[in-house]
Amino acid sequence: METQVIKIESLDEKDKIHQAATALGQGKLVVIPTETVYGLGAHGLREDSVKGIFEAKGRPQDNPLILHVANQDQVLDLVQAIPPAAKDCMDMFWPGPLTLIFKRSKIVPDLVTAGLETVAIRMPSHAIAHAILEEAAIPVAAPSANTSGRPSPTRVSHVLEDLDGKVDMIVDGGFTDVGIESTILDVTVDPPTILRPGGVTKEDLEDLLGTVAEDTSHYDAESGTVPKSPGMKYRHYAPQADTTVFAGNIENVAKEINRRIQENKGEKVAVLCTTETQALYQGAHLLLDMGSRSHLEEVAKNLFNSLRACDEAGVDRIYVEGFDFEGLGVGIMNRLLKASGGKVVFGL
């Protein structure tokens, strides 16, 4: 398959927007930019089209997908009901990086939901993605546009590395803004429960809804359990090199990482640090500043790009600074725990 890449820089490029929307309507695989990461889009109500997502990504079919819509009216046909908490969230956070879990209607294919009676839906805020969805006028299933298990793509070069020749079209909309996937909130339960942390924080949701729970279930590939949302069951976001996260007092973290760099002098070691700590490290083959600890939006935006850079540099080990489990730090640590396969040194 020859993959066509089209660059869209402005909403005035209506012909290109129409081209992408038409391809989606025809059942083709189209990668689109969103504010979180790039998504691999397909017609969300056509099983033959959705099947192509799993084939292109090498994604297990018991891992549900998210349907993307352009407006709240599109949700009505996809769900049995819209609970009050869901309507409040839609009004406050849509369009934006929040996915909601509803009871599904009969028109949603089993392949989208992994056979569950629930469906995940969100409305992206990226202007180009929103314009394409408006033009297509269909729900679009769109997981991250990467080979299953690899770091999610935040720029087109990442998409091409994984999916060139496996999809029909890639829409280049530049570097994504949020950098980690959407928060997923289950509104079929009381209290509403976060299944995956992301750009909308627990604090944000509690300001609106009051009590919000967090799902602490741990899934593995052999459990036979179908998770309610993407990102819960399998190892995700993983670079090629062995990765360890270090959490605790930041000066102690730097000392421990430096000690391990010296221990592994014969290897190419990458350190993913922050602006405040960059000067503390010595001897790393690759030192990447993810952003300021006081502006975690920068860190989230640069996280997957930094992991991809480690792959490109061919490093043997990756040492990453950890973050506090509060606000956006929860989403960042969730991705780091997945990327490292749970290899975390706590209490430094």
Side-chain angles (χ1 to χ4, degrees), residues 138-161:
I138 54 172
V140 172
S144 55
N146 57 310
T147 301
S148 188
R150 292 214 64 206
S152 298
T154 54
R155 57 180 70 209
V156 161
S157 60
H158 302 161
V159 180
L160 287 168
E161 183 180 348

Side-chain angles (χ1 to χ4, degrees), residues 21-44:
T22 299
L24 283 167
Q26 293 171 342
K28 295 181 178 180
L29 296 179
V30 180
V31 174
I32 59 174
T34 78
E35 74 278 18
T36 57
V37 299
Y38 275 82
L40 172 53
H43 193 312

Side-chain angles (χ1 to χ4, degrees), residues 218-278:
H218 295 282
Y219 298 87
D220 60 76
E222 287 76 38
S223 69
T225 304
V226 177
K228 262 192 168 184
S229 84
M232 296 182 71
K233 187 170 183 180
Y234 297 94
R235 187 183 180 204
H236 275 54
Y237 326 118
Q240 295 167 2
D242 182 80
T243 302
T244 306
V245 182
F246 298 83
N249 176 278
I250 196 59
E251 291 185 357
N252 292 341
V253 165
K255 288 177 182 177
E256 178 61 18
I257 289 177
N258 281 331
R259 185 186 70 78
R260 296 197 183 205
I261 291 172
Q262 293 304 309
E263 269 187 1
N264 298 284
K265 275 188 173 180
E267 298 181 340
K268 294 180 179 178
V269 176
V271 175
L272 273 56
C273 65
T274 48
T275 304
E276 293 84 351
T277 60
Q278 190 172 12

Side-chain angles (χ1 to χ4, degrees), residues 15 26 60 81 95 97 131 134 137 141 148 156 165 182-183 196 200-201 209 226 243 259 277 290 297 308-309:
D15 288 347
Q26 293 171 342
E134 282 276 13
S148 188
V156 161
S182 61
T183 302
R196 181 181 73 185
V200 175
T201 67
L209 302 176
V226 177
T243 302
R259 185 186 70 78
T277 60
M290 296 184 292
E297 295 83 2
R308 289 263 179 176

Side-chain angles (χ1 to χ4, degrees), residues 95-117:
L98 177 67
T99 295
L100 299 173
I101 302 285
F102 299 89
K103 295 287 187 182
R104 61 181 278 203
S105 72
K106 293 181 179 179
I107 71 168
V108 179
D110 286 344
L111 199 56
V112 169
T113 69
L116 295 171
E117 293 307 310

